[in-house]
Amino acid sequence: MKLIGFFNRDGGTFKTTDMAAYEKKAEQVFRDAGHEFEGLVVSGGEVVAAMERAARRDDIDGIVAGGGDGTISAAASVAWKNGVALGVIPAGTMNLFARSLKLPLDIWQVLDVLATGEVEQVDIGSANGRPFIHQFSAGLHARMVRYRNAYTYRSRIGKMSASTRAAFGVIVNPPEFDVDFEADGIRERRHVSAISVSNNPFGANALLYADDLRSGELGFYTARPLRPLGVARLAVDMLRGRFRKNADVMVMHTREVQLHFPKLRNLANCVMDGELLPLERDVTLKLHAGELKVMIRQGTAARAVEEEAIRRAAV
């Protein structure tokens, strides 16, 4: 394959990495595996434009993106729109998409896995046409991100500390709002504190990422209006990977969901793949099954099919 690698030097682990040495190592690993590879170290402000320019070239088979979840989300959008493969180097704090792809979280080890791996088709979601690889959310999560962004932090530890402080702020001041939704022929209005729509249903893990990105379904989650104690209980259940058993959480799986916010406040926000954005009054969320090409470890797809067959046989 002919590949170009984009390494966001402002992203997470890369801030403390010798990027010249990393770029040289990446080029060596991919070329030794038979690929044509060019590595570029770019700033966070330049990385999206650089990836878009490269992906439009007709001689490129894929892009390899290194950075945090924001960089990877942007790279997935570029890859999806241009029909090229995406390789993920997890250099961020959570690295949720890399976890779903079952990639190593070590930035050096993952190079060999991507270079000697295979290309698989996985699902990607969209909200009013804007793609997302992890989730769209409103309510509790959006308020927490808004609180977190009000704090100043310059490191992974600082971001985690800011997130903890923001979480406590949301516990004592949870939001409430109305939403009308339509999914699988069901139309309903709910009064809620939180909405989340994920690219494939969340697995039973504390970080809330999908175990499988090929189910062809969105996860649609709402939480009833919560008081501070209820938010705290939900947080504990999420940390234990048991949020589905929380009595205040309602779960659906669907290919498409329409949301309408009848009493949308000015400056209301949503979060898409960790980015705080203005919330629109009407949002159409869709699952685009198998439309994103990703580079994964050799044999991962076959193992996933086998595991799914075993799971279905056990049900």
Side-chain angles (χ1 to χ4, degrees):
M1 298 175 69
K2 188 168 185 177
L3 305 168
I4 299 182
F6 299 90
F7 309 128
N8 180 358
R9 62 170 173 256
D10 300 323
T13 307
F14 283 158
K15 291 181 180 179
T16 55
T17 300
D18 182 338
M19 293 309 298
Y22 190 82
E23 178 189 353
K24 183 177 180 180
K25 178 65 174 178
E27 291 181 348
Q28 176 189 337
V29 169
F30 278 95
R31 289 173 182 173
D32 286 350
H35 303 286
E36 293 183 49
F37 186 88
E38 176 187 359
L40 300 173
V41 178
V42 293
S43 69
E46 299 170 341
V47 66
V48 175
M51 290 189 296
E52 288 176 342
R53 287 193 300 270
R56 286 195 294 267
R57 292 168 47 179
D58 57 12
D59 62 336
I60 295 299
D61 299 308
I63 58 176
V64 176
D69 285 325
T71 298
I72 302 307
S73 177
S77 175
V78 171
W80 178 54
K81 290 176 180 177
N82 291 278
V84 299
L86 170 66
V88 175
I89 296 176
T93 304
M94 297 299 182
N95 303 308
L96 299 171
F97 194 57
R99 293 176 190 270
S100 290
L101 295 176
K102 299 175 175 59
L103 292 171
L105 301 183
D106 182 274
I107 61 172
W108 300 90
Q109 182 184 356
V110 76
L111 293 173
D112 291 296
V113 170
L114 296 176
T116 60
E118 59 190 7
V119 174
E120 173 68 356
Q121 307 274 140
V122 300
D123 305 340
I124 187 169
S126 70
N128 287 352
R130 176 171 176 149
F132 63 92
I133 53 174
H134 180 50
Q135 72 167 331
F136 164 97
S137 60
L140 288 173
H141 187 207
R143 180 164 292 186
M144 189 188 80
V145 172
R146 180 163 59 84
Y147 286 173
R148 186 193 68 195
N149 289 353
Y151 301 122
T152 300
Y153 54 87
R154 295 184 175 85
S155 66
R156 179 182 298 188
I157 299 299
K159 183 176 181 179
M160 294 173 68
S161 175
S163 296
T164 300
R165 294 167 64 189
F168 279 112
V170 171
I171 287 174
V172 300
N173 185 29
E176 291 185 26
F177 56 97
D178 289 329
V179 60
D180 299 327
F181 78 87
E182 181 176 354
D184 290 342
I186 299 173
R187 294 184 180 183
E188 189 176 323
R189 172 170 292 188
R190 290 181 181 173
H191 192 58
V192 300
S193 280
I195 291 173
S196 180
V197 181
S198 60
N199 174 26
N200 284 253
F202 292 137
N205 54 74
L207 295 180
L208 297 184
Y209 61 87
D211 289 333
D212 180 12
L213 290 172
R214 302 179 308 148
S215 76
E217 294 181 312
L218 299 168
F220 177 39
Y221 310 94
T222 61
R224 295 187 180 95
L226 299 173
R227 302 278 78 82
L229 184 57
V231 179
R233 287 183 182 136
L234 177 59
V236 170
D237 286 339
M238 290 168 63
L239 290 172
R240 298 171 64 193
R242 300 179 58 186
F243 75 96
R244 288 180 183 81
K245 296 184 178 181
N246 186 289
D248 293 315
V249 173
M250 291 158 282
V251 180
M252 290 182 64
H253 295 168
T254 181
R255 287 290 298 267
E256 181 175 332
V257 58
Q258 307 271 350
L259 302 179
H260 173 71
F261 300 94
K263 300 176 182 178
L264 188 68
R265 297 182 297 103
N266 291 333
L267 305 179
N269 298 119
C270 66
V271 174
M272 287 183 62
D273 287 348
E275 183 179 359
L276 194 67
L277 300 168
L279 177 60
E280 298 180 64
R281 185 174 298 277
D282 295 285
V283 184
T284 298
L285 298 119
K286 296 181 180 181
L287 194 286
H288 307 273
E291 291 191 13
L292 177 64
K293 294 188 287 187
V294 293
M295 300 164 67
I296 58 175
R297 186 193 298 271
Q298 190 75 30
T300 299
R303 286 194 298 274
V305 170
E306 182 179 348
E307 290 170 1
E308 177 63 15
I310 293 173
R311 186 190 68 81
R312 289 180 181 275
V315 172

